[in-house]
């Protein structure tokens, strides 16, 4: 698909034996414009109906298209933990410089927050995420602009908690899927 500057999208499900089944493909322009996703999602809905849960990498165009096409159909849009972690690395790692111990503590805390699935812990999310943010703020590496952008990204991640933190997503039938790994 690179020769034609297209991105391949796979629609998958899990069968009764726990195996991945590819049910549809789409090719969209590499810039991932929302209009291309709207068309692909409309074709999917026309032929297969609305999915119950849709995992994505968080692309804003795709998120907008999901809302347009499936917004009234009860489709839940969840975020892929693999892609969240790659973005976490991209945005936050530089703040820790050569302090590997602090970086590992930050990553461990992130995964504890992401994977904690106890419904009663929903009320604890704010405090836990504030502790994660404080751990990153304690670093002294990087210029102010880099730090500002990193903390803007982290705050936005916290605001989207219901799309990725297990304590909020457990209520959706995902068959223990937390990422787009079955489609990639």
């Amino acid at each position: 698909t690179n020769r034609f500057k297209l991105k391949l999208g796979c629609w998958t499900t899990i069968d009764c034996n726990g195996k991945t089944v590819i049910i549809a493909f789409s090719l969209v322009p590499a810039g991932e414009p929302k209009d291309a996703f709207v068309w692909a999602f409309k074709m999917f809905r026309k032929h297969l109906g609305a999915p119950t849960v849709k995992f994505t990498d968080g692309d804003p165009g795709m998120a907008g298209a999901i809302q347009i096409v499936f917004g009234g159909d009860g489709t839940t849009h969840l975020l892929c933990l693999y892609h969240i972690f790659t973005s976490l690395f991209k945005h936050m790692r530089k703040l820790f410089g050569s302090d590997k111990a602090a970086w590992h503590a930050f990553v461990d805390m992130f995964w504890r927050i992401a994977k904690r699935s106890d419904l009663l812990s929903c009320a604890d999310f704010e405090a836990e995420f504030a502790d994660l943010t404080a751990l990153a703020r304690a670093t002294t590496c990087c210029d102010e602009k880099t730090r500002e952008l990193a903390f803007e990204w982290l705050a936005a991640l916290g605001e989207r908690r219901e799309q990725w933190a297990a304590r909020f997503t457990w209520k959706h039938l995902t068959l223990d899927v937390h990422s787009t790994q079955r489609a990639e």
Side-chain angles (χ1 to χ4, degrees):
T1 58
N2 288 338
R3 180 168 49 150
F4 299 105
K5 296 185 169 76
L6 298 172
K7 285 191 149 188
L8 174 66
C10 295
W11 295 70
T12 63
T13 191
I14 302 170
D15 71 12
C16 60
N17 297 311
K19 297 192 182 207
T20 301
V21 177
I22 298 171
I23 54 176
F25 293 102
S26 63
L27 291 170
V28 297
E32 300 184 15
K34 183 168 73 173
D35 293 344
F37 288 127
V38 167
W39 176 84
F41 294 167
K42 281 182 177 178
M43 293 301 103
F44 183 91
R45 188 179 70 195
K46 176 181 176 182
H47 297 286
L48 297 167
T52 304
V53 174
K54 176 86 173 119
F55 278 93
T56 73
D57 62 2
D59 176 77
M62 193 178 299
I66 289 170
Q67 186 58 38
I68 289 168
V69 179
F70 302 121
D73 293 333
T75 298
T76 300
H77 177 204
L78 300 179
L79 299 175
C80 167
L81 279 176
Y82 169 79
H83 286 97
I84 286 175
F85 185 73
T86 59
S87 291
L88 182 91
F89 187 90
K90 175 183 164 191
H91 290 93
M92 303 304 294
R93 175 63 180 101
K94 56 191 145 226
L95 299 183
F96 293 87
S98 62
D99 190 348
K100 289 183 181 180
W103 169 247
H104 290 296
F106 179 82
V107 168
D108 288 346
M109 187 180 294
F110 166 76
W111 283 115
R112 280 195 308 277
I113 291 169
K115 292 294 194 169
R116 189 170 178 196
S117 60
D118 180 9
L119 175 62
L120 298 175
S121 71
C122 289
D124 300 334
F125 182 88
E126 290 289 336
E128 292 174 17
F129 205 78
D131 290 345
L132 181 73
T133 302
L135 186 59
R137 287 203 185 279
T139 64
T140 57
C141 206
C142 296
D143 61 273
E144 203 51 42
K145 183 65 175 171
T146 300
R147 292 178 65 78
E148 180 182 331
L149 292 173
F151 289 111
E152 283 176 14
W153 179 87
L154 190 60
L157 179 64
E159 291 170 12
R160 297 180 79 181
R161 71 190 66 137
E162 295 199 13
Q163 291 182 284
W164 61 269
R167 66 189 87 194
F168 301 108
T169 64
W170 70 269
K171 60 189 167 194
H172 305 288
L173 180 61
T174 64
L175 302 175
D176 207 28
V177 172
H178 304 281
S179 69
T180 57
Q181 82 267 10
R182 287 183 175 260
E184 294 193 33

